[in-house]
């Protein structure tokens, strides 16, 4: 690759040190960044190039897996880093940025220029306008924008308008790092590279689907951000709904950026609009409270003592189309749960008739397919088998495929995969403007309902537990229950 340059706006922030630099180091280590490439960090904290390199080197030692650390490679990687201290919110600095870019690449318009917007979301609207004014938006440039893209439908539409006035849609990469995860991509391979499941993958054979993405950490140092986001904006509107889309989408005729993203957008557009009944009965929000040594959300730094921001949400969705009509999709996410797990559980319908018994009485007659995104990455199918011996006693057992059997997960993480795709100009795993808007269109009414009904329930749950009991009650009307992995 000739003349590749990347400009990270927000280079002194948390995302850059935790995710972006380790990902770029991994691309460097794997020989994916070649030639005399340059990475220019932009941030308000003052650093010289040398100081910035030392700072990032120290962070790499902390955030890169120890087996992937090589002092030699890390030093050669940081030698490609440069830093310019400026406020990305103010137009003045952009002429300097341009000059610095020319100095580094010897070119007004490098062949491959990538901007990464890792600033607070409040700057997502102004940065592209400043880039345009400084004539940095060349046709050879691309921009990656972190989530959340917008705060609601209106702000997402406004952002989209700004971005398309500066870049062409094919230059805009709205990142959702879940799509960079191997096991999320594997949902597609599992569905569309195997003939045996597809005939069953519909309302005739599937009873309900669960999508869970929960974490055992709190909000850590992100109180300021989280207070304005909450679980719906932080996880549901993007990550969880992507998982729903991959589970529910139709197979595209060929696999490319357009066809894949068309099918994702179609799922979002088919989500059954929410009604008053849904707001009251099919959406449960919670907030973690103090438990043992764990702080409650309202005690976290940067959080208001009377905050009503949700750290947990569970809800029931419907997809109004031929394949999924009548099949509930139950989704949930939460902070301070007993464990960190992301998985999709597909519950097939029960056998029509019970012939056998198990020692525990009735044996479970429904098969379950669990696609484990993380941890213990793999796929599990639960099936009934005869217990050896006299009689016909049946027990559910697990057919368990674990990624370890393929030699473990490839080293590269989600960010490395996605940044690499962007450098190669492949937008398949990035969110298109129509999908972002369709997703907001669906979730917006919930935000409005909460805003207009300040007394709508927000249930407390002790940190370290599975969330409000009301979320179990929500599933009981379907005879369903959450699958809680241990
Ligand atoms: C981020 C959210 O997008 O995803 C975080 O902002 C969350 O709040 C994180 O912790 C979870 O991602 P992962 O890859 O650790 O499951």
């Amino acid at each position: 690759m000739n003349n590749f340059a990347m400009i990270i706006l927000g280079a002194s922030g948390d995302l850059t040190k935790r995710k972006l630099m380790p990902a770029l180091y991994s691309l460097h280590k794997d020989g994916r960044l070649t030639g005399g490439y340059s990475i220019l960090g932009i941030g308000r904290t003052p650093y010289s190039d040398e100081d910035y390199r030392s700072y990032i080197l120290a962070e790499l030692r902390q955030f890169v897996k120890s087996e992937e650390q090589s002092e030699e490679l890390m030093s050669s990687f940081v030698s490609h880093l440069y830093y310019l201290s400026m406020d990305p919110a103010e137009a003045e600095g952009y002429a300097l940025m341009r000059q610095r870019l020319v100095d580094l690449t010897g070119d007004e318009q490098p062949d491959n220029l990538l901007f990464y917007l890792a600033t607070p979301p409040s700057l997502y609207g102004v940065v592209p306008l400043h880039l345009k004014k400084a004539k940095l938006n060349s046709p050879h440039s691309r921009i990656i924008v972190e989530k959340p893209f917008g705060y609601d439908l209106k702000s997402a539409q406004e952002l989209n308008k700004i971005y398309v006035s500066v870049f062409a849609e094919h230059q805009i990469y709205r990142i959702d790092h879940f799509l960079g995860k191997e096991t999320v991509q594997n949902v597609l391979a599992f569905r569309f590279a195997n003939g045996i499941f597809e005939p069953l993958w519909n309302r005739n054979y599937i009873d309900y689907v669960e999508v869970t993405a929960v974490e055992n950490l709190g909000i850590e140092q992100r109180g300021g951000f989280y207070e304005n986001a909450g679980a719906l904006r932080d996880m549901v509107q993007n990550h969880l709904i992507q998982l729903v889309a991959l589970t529910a989408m139709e197979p595209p005729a060929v696999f490319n950026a357009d066809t894949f993203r068309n099918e994702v957008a179609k799922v979002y557009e088919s989500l059954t609009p929410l009604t008053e009944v849904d707001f009251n009965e099919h959406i449960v929000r919670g907030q973690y409270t103090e438990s043992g040594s764990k702080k409650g959300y309202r005690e976290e730094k940067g959080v208001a003592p009377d905050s009503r921001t949700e750290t947990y949400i569970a809800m029931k969705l419907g997809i109004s189309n031929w394949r999924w009509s009548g099949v509930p999709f139950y989704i949930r996410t939460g902070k301070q749960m007993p464990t960190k797990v992301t998985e999709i559980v597909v519950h097939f319908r029960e056998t029509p008739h019970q012939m056998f018994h198990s020692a525990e009485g009735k044996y479970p007659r429904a098969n379950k397919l669990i696609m484990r995104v993380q941890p213990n990455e793999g796929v599990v199918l639960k099936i009934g088998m005869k217990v050896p011996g006299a009689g016909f006693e049946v027990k559910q057992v697990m057919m368990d495929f674990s990624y370890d059997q393929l030699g473990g997960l490839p080293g590269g993480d989600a960010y490395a995969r996605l940044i690499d795709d962007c450098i190669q100009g492949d937008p398949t795993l990035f969110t298109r403007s129509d999908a972002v808007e369709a997703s907001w269109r669906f979730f917006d009414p919930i935000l409005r309902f909460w805003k207009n009904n300040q007394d709508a329930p927000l249930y407390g749950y002790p940190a370290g537990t599975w969330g409000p009991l009301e979320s179990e009650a929500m599933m009981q009307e379907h005879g369903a229950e959450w699958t809680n992995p241990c």
Side-chain angles (χ1 to χ4, degrees):
M1 180 201 335
N2 291 322
N3 215 2
F4 170 63
M6 178 164 175
I7 298 185
I8 302 177
L9 295 110
S12 47
D14 209 51
L15 181 75
T16 300
K17 71 176 186 198
R18 280 174 190 273
K19 300 287 185 190
L20 305 188
M21 287 300 174
L24 288 163
Y25 163 69
S26 142
L27 294 178
H28 173 85
K29 181 170 74 59
D30 296 343
R32 306 289 298 168
L33 298 174
T34 51
Y37 72 90
S38 325
I39 298 174
L40 175 62
I42 305 289
R44 284 189 310 177
T45 313
Y47 288 110
S48 64
D49 288 347
E50 268 322 306
D51 290 346
Y52 189 63
R53 289 173 187 172
S54 313
Y55 157 66
I56 292 298
L57 194 55
E59 299 297 347
L60 290 178
R61 290 188 186 117
Q62 193 184 342
F63 291 110
V64 171
K65 285 189 202 138
S66 51
E67 63 273 22
E68 287 173 19
Q69 292 192 16
S70 142
E71 282 301 319
E72 198 187 332
L73 285 171
M74 291 195 299
S75 300
S76 67
F77 167 67
V78 298
S79 72
H80 292 268
L81 304 184
Y82 303 87
Y83 190 83
L84 173 65
S85 168
M86 59 170 260
D87 182 353
E90 302 299 332
E92 295 87 74
Y94 285 73
L96 275 179
M97 186 196 291
R98 187 180 158 80
Q99 189 49 51
R100 199 72 208 275
L101 185 66
V102 175
D103 295 344
L104 292 175
T105 62
D107 205 333
E108 291 267 307
Q109 300 204 335
D111 297 344
N112 196 340
L113 172 61
L114 170 58
F115 296 101
Y116 200 115
L117 212 48
T119 62
S122 55
L123 298 188
Y124 290 178
V126 2
V127 169
L129 296 174
H130 291 333
L131 292 175
K132 184 177 178 184
K133 215 163 152 203
K135 298 198 172 48
L136 279 156
N137 57 330
S138 80
H140 305 294
S141 60
R142 302 190 180 98
I143 185 161
I144 299 185
V145 196
E146 262 300 328
K147 57 154 270 279
F149 193 85
Y151 187 74
D152 52 16
L153 176 61
K154 189 161 165 274
S155 55
Q157 285 170 330
E158 280 163 9
L159 273 186
N160 273 333
K161 262 194 213 133
I162 295 176
Y163 278 78
V164 297
S165 74
V166 177
F167 298 98
E169 177 67 33
H170 68 86
Q171 296 174 281
I172 308 166
Y173 287 66
R174 298 170 194 82
I175 196 166
D176 175 338
H177 79 279
F178 265 46
L179 272 183
K181 291 178 191 273
E182 281 291 336
T183 42
V184 170
Q185 295 156 21
N186 189 51
V187 174
L188 293 179
F190 182 84
R191 286 192 56 201
F192 302 137
N194 295 294
I196 58 170
F197 292 104
E198 190 51 26
L200 309 180
W201 211 260
N202 57 53
R203 65 191 304 276
N204 297 322
Y205 297 96
I206 292 181
D207 186 15
Y208 68 99
V209 177
E210 290 173 71
V211 177
T212 291
V214 295
E215 296 172 89
N216 49 0
L217 292 175
I219 52 155
E220 306 211 274
Q221 308 309 317
R222 300 162 76 215
F225 161 78
Y226 204 86
E227 269 290 82
N228 292 314
L232 186 80
R233 292 188 176 94
D234 188 41
M235 293 290 291
V236 179
Q237 183 272 335
N238 30 66
H239 303 325
L240 266 83
I241 203 66
Q242 278 285 1
L243 296 178
V244 169
L246 299 188
T247 310
M249 68 189 270
E250 296 300 316
V254 286
F255 190 74
N256 63 38
D258 283 340
T259 56
F260 168 67
R261 298 194 300 171
N262 288 346
E263 295 306 334
V264 168
K266 280 187 214 163
V267 174
Y268 293 174
E269 280 152 16
S270 313
L271 291 167
T272 315
L274 300 164
T275 63
E276 202 70 20
V277 175
D278 294 311
F279 298 140
N280 291 311
E281 293 173 24
H282 298 143
I283 299 172
V284 175
R285 60 175 176 161
Q287 191 186 69
Y288 60 83
T289 55
E290 185 185 345
S291 172
S293 59
K294 293 177 198 271
K295 274 189 197 162
Y297 176 68
R298 291 179 181 180
E299 284 83 60
E300 302 274 16
K301 195 166 159 237
V303 171
D306 57 351
S307 169
R308 290 187 59 78
T309 300
E310 78 288 356
T311 61
Y312 173 95
I313 178 166
M315 64 184 287
K316 176 183 167 189
L317 310 175
I319 301 177
S320 297
N321 65 16
W322 197 265
R323 190 189 281 266
W324 294 113
S325 178
V327 179
F329 280 69
Y330 294 101
I331 66 175
R332 65 174 166 169
T333 184
K335 299 275 187 198
Q336 288 292 18
M337 303 266 110
T339 185
K340 177 171 170 87
V341 65
T342 302
E343 64 183 26
I344 301 165
V345 186
V346 178
H347 295 257
F348 290 91
R349 289 192 187 280
E350 293 192 334
T351 54
H353 173 64
Q354 174 127 10
M355 283 165 62
F356 306 120
H357 293 277
S358 79
E360 299 95 48
K362 281 190 171 181
Y363 64 89
R365 285 155 51 197
N367 299 110
K368 237 192 222 190
L369 177 78
I370 305 175
M371 291 184 274
R372 289 209 209 103
V373 172
Q374 60 190 14
N376 307 327
E377 291 80 357
V379 175
V380 174
L381 181 63
K382 291 208 168 181
I383 49 176
M385 297 292 271
K386 180 179 178 300
V387 178
F392 274 90
E393 192 184 316
V394 170
K395 195 175 173 188
Q396 270 216 336
V397 295
M398 301 205 285
M399 279 175 76
D400 194 343
F401 161 74
S402 154
Y403 261 86
D404 292 344
Q405 295 160 22
L406 282 183
L409 278 176
D413 77 346
Y415 275 93
R417 161 72 198 254
L418 294 174
I419 294 173
D420 194 24
D421 280 4
C422 179
I423 295 171
Q424 307 304 326
D426 180 355
T428 309
L429 299 175
F430 292 81
T431 312
R432 219 168 48 188
S433 57
D434 54 342
V436 172
E437 291 187 15
S439 169
W440 277 122
R441 196 165 292 116
F442 177 73
F443 289 109
D444 230 23
I446 305 179
L447 296 169
R448 266 204 309 277
F449 178 80
W450 288 342
K451 192 166 163 213
N452 298 336
N453 296 275
Q454 288 293 323
D455 54 350
L458 169 72
Y459 301 102
Y461 61 95
T465 63
W466 281 107
L469 293 175
E470 285 72 9
S471 77
E472 293 289 348
M474 173 184 89
M475 296 175 87
Q476 275 159 13
E477 68 177 32
H478 191 76
E481 56 186 35
W482 290 110
T483 305
N484 286 341
C486 31

